[in-house]
Amino acid sequence: MNRLVRLALALSLCALAAPAAHATGLLLPTDTQVTPFALKHQRVDIQVKDGTAVTKVEQVFVNHTDRPLEAQYLFPVPTEAVVVDFHLLVNGRMQKGEVLPKDKANQIYTDIVRRMVDPGIIDWMSPNLFKARIFPVPPRGEQKVEVTYTQVVPFMDGTYKLVYPLKTPARAAKTLQDFTLTATLQHATPIKAVYSPTHRISVARRGDHQATVGFEGNEVTLDTDFVLYFGISKKDVGLTLLTHRPSPAEPGYFMLVAAPREVFDSQEIQGKAITFVLDTSGSMSAKAMDHARKALAYCLGQLGSDDRFNIVRFSSDVEAFSEGLLPATRDNVARGQRFVEGFEAAGGTSIDEALKAALATPGDARTPHLVVFMTDGRPTVGQTDIKKILDNAAERRGRDTRLFTFGIGEEVNTHLLDRLAMDGGGTSHYVRPDEDIEAAVSALYGQVAHPVLTGVKLDMATARPYALVPGRVPDLFKGGQLVLVGRYRGDGDSLIRLTGTFAGSEKRYDFEGRFPERQPDNAFLAPLWAHRQVGVLLDQVRLEGETQGLKDEIVQLATRYGIVTPYTSYLVVEDVVTARPDPRPRPLPPRPTLRRERGNFGFGSDADAPAAEEAEASPGKLMSRSAAQGGAKPAEALKKDSGRQGVDNAKVVKHLKDKQTAGGDVATVRYADGRVFRWDGQAWLDTAHRAGMPEVRVAPFSPAWVELAQLRPDLKKALALGERVTVVVGGVAVVVAPDGAKALSASDKQRLAR
């Protein structure tokens, strides 16, 4: 039996044995000498009403040849829900198609394998397949295909899970242009938390019963299905709980997403007390000062009639608009705006005295006091010792005061501003000289404009939680949501209680949650928690100094989950397969090509530190520098508190602590069914692998490989990584390699059985 036939047989059997996967559509020429057409763009519109979704998919494919071609359009049918209707439009005309059962689908998958020879197709197959004939596809032209299908969205414990298939058979396939997805959610019960662990989404709410979710990108890699969770609840605050625990022998992972209702009566929104503090020292540029004045004028204009406010200007001296907080009447706001218009840049930077003036008025449980502190420099006047400034602020700050800091430019002391915000229950932000201060300040104000639940406390003792990130539960504001990630040791049903102040009164919200002893789903929670935890640990090193314990924990987590830090360095995997027109038959994707990159992901020296925005946009290409590579020692790099490097450090650490999606930072790391794999230069290696483990060696696509897929269908995603993979199964290392055995022995089968 030749290699292609073995591969085809193996994949057919895998389709029967493995759980169903999702995939996006494929346009395949009937001429077997022509490769599949490249996908120019894909646009998806999903309408979800009361748990039923109607999905409309528009795909445009490119014929890269000089002749008209006949093609088959293939779309693996989503299987997590019941498909009620499925139809196809080609260039505006209804096209006849059919949904094939799995036995006929397997034959088509086999034909595709013979042409594409790609291990990744294992993760593309589905038991049922929609198929349609399209002719002609014009030469050097485009073919537009529209698919519409209806399905019931899976629902459990108050939360819907919507999945849109994106994976393609070819590794690292990309759209030539854009991928755009819009999901409109409507429900008779108010929609609360909306969260995607796979893509950075925007969420626009229209009342309590409707929300619009959006994602858009150019040249998007189609290697991860789009997953969206959204919860419904009639309570003022809704809560979604997700858990993951691959083994009862180890603690589990959990995520809590809490969101308030969108519509409130005017008397239910508690007024806020807010003080704006602006640095007007001589170092403020004319452009920065102009933007800051406009930002403050905007924020003042947005104050509600039940709000109170004050303004503090500081340079060498400190000047307050009022001795205390004033009601936000039309006249007071107008006078405040005129006060701001008169600001000029001159003098030094008296941060300690400015904080003293801003914190003089304490908040209370009914009306928290929000302080927005903006500065462009380090303390140069009065008290300049950072520790004493922090101690003074802690002594003056009331329990119900929240401190938000803005660093303008790169000459700020990031350690001071980060610590002020951390201790003050707020957040820190940094705006570079060429960035729009007005937009950044206005965005923050929009997030904190309407407090809903303040002084929030979380109780879930039965679950025995630990390592919660963030460690201090923040306040909940209208239009926002809390995303908390942590570990748990207990199991079983648990009461989850949120308490806080709502509309001036103490409120308690009780929810029922279940923390399973074993939960293989939601594997994204492990790397997501690891990223956030590494951010917390790096912040401790930055602000308090390095210890051996901190260093060891950072290295352990970063190494396992592919997180770029000053303590770890990685090899970069080149992208070797892309979805581009190519008239030649597509070969088996080669093993990753490696090149070593030097860089620091914001943690190295000022001379070559990349911007934090670049690091966030493409973290896989910005590798951390280790001391062994000749760069600065990690603790020394993190110690930098100002300059470009200091701001980069602060931004990158904040990015890790606030991470929303679960993707890795480096191309040498892959996640598959809750397992983490690293490319070691020769093969994908399960990070659970340890030297000396007993081994079962299997040749790829051999009868042994087929038996392995039948025996352990949970290894499907691992097998899809390629022809060289090592995966740990119950303490046994299964090594897939060309020199592996072609048949499993009886003892091998026994060791690998569940």
Side-chain angles (χ1 to χ4, degrees), residues 373-596:
F373 188 90
M374 293 173 277
T375 181
D376 79 327
R378 305 166 67 90
T380 60
V381 175
Q383 182 58 260
T384 59
D385 183 271
I386 301 302
K387 184 178 185 305
K388 290 182 179 179
I389 293 175
L390 290 170
D391 290 342
N392 290 341
E395 183 179 341
R396 297 161 181 161
R397 185 181 57 247
R399 185 184 65 179
D400 297 298
T401 297
R402 306 289 184 266
L403 185 54
F404 300 85
T405 60
F406 260 91
I408 302 170
E410 296 174 342
E411 296 308 313
V412 294
N413 187 305
T414 60
H415 290 192
L416 171 62
L417 297 185
D418 286 350
R419 194 57 181 264
L420 285 170
M422 183 189 304
D423 295 345
T427 53
S428 56
H429 306 262
Y430 295 93
V431 184
R432 297 185 184 279
D434 58 344
E435 294 177 338
D436 191 341
I437 300 171
E438 181 180 356
V441 175
S442 301
L444 172 66
Y445 179 82
Q447 294 171 11
V448 302
H450 303 295
V452 174
L453 194 66
T454 59
V456 182
K457 295 181 180 179
L458 172 67
D459 182 13
M460 42 188 285
T462 304
R464 296 167 57 199
Y466 70 101
L468 188 67
V469 184
R472 176 175 177 173
V473 183
D475 295 334
L476 187 58
F477 296 89
K478 182 178 180 292
Q481 61 186 23
L482 306 179
V483 179
L484 308 174
V485 185
R487 308 288 307 268
Y488 71 93
R489 291 190 173 93
D491 60 78
D493 295 331
S494 176
L495 171 68
I496 302 174
R497 174 171 291 169
L498 285 178
T499 57
T501 301
F502 173 81
S505 303
E506 288 294 320
K507 289 287 186 178
R508 185 181 73 189
Y509 301 96
D510 290 342
F511 307 91
E512 294 180 1
R514 179 163 182 79
F515 294 83
E517 185 179 30
R518 178 179 174 83
Q519 169 58 281
D521 295 338
N522 305 320
F524 72 88
L525 289 176
L528 182 62
W529 172 83
H531 276 81
R532 289 189 164 205
Q533 181 70 0
V534 164
V536 170
L537 297 172
L538 287 172
D539 226 13
Q540 286 185 254
V541 175
R542 285 180 63 231
L543 303 180
E544 301 172 10
E546 181 187 77
T547 67
Q548 189 61 44
L550 284 174
K551 177 181 175 180
D552 291 346
E553 189 172 357
I554 291 170
V555 170
Q556 187 269 330
L557 288 173
T559 301
R560 179 175 182 185
Y561 291 99
I563 305 170
V564 180
T565 76
Y567 297 95
T568 49
S569 61
Y570 293 91
L571 294 176
V572 180
V573 179
E574 299 275 15
D575 292 331
V576 293
V577 181
T578 57
R580 57 183 182 274
D582 186 350
R584 298 168 299 174
R586 178 176 295 175
L588 179 70
R591 294 192 299 273
T593 301
L594 301 182
R595 58 187 171 89
R596 185 174 293 280

Side-chain angles (χ1 to χ4, degrees), residues 640-686:
K640 294 189 177 183
D641 57 13
S642 64
R644 183 180 181 184
Q645 189 56 56
V647 174
D648 281 348
N649 288 348
K651 282 198 166 190
V652 173
V653 168
K654 186 176 189 298
H655 168 69
L656 286 171
K657 290 166 63 177
D658 297 341
K659 191 170 177 66
Q660 296 293 312
T661 57
D665 287 336
V666 294
T668 50
V669 173
R670 294 286 184 271
Y671 304 131
D673 285 328
R675 298 177 174 89
V676 184
F677 294 83
R678 292 189 64 198
W679 181 257
D680 67 355
Q682 298 295 325
W684 290 106
L685 183 65
D686 191 333

Side-chain angles (χ1 to χ4, degrees), residues 277-278 312-315 317-318 350-360 371 373 396:
V277 186
L278 179 63
V312 174
R313 178 205 62 78
F314 75 97
S315 55
D317 65 330
V318 176
S350 182
I351 288 180
D352 188 61
E353 288 298 316
L355 287 168
K356 179 180 179 180
L359 299 174
V371 176
F373 188 90
R396 297 161 181 161

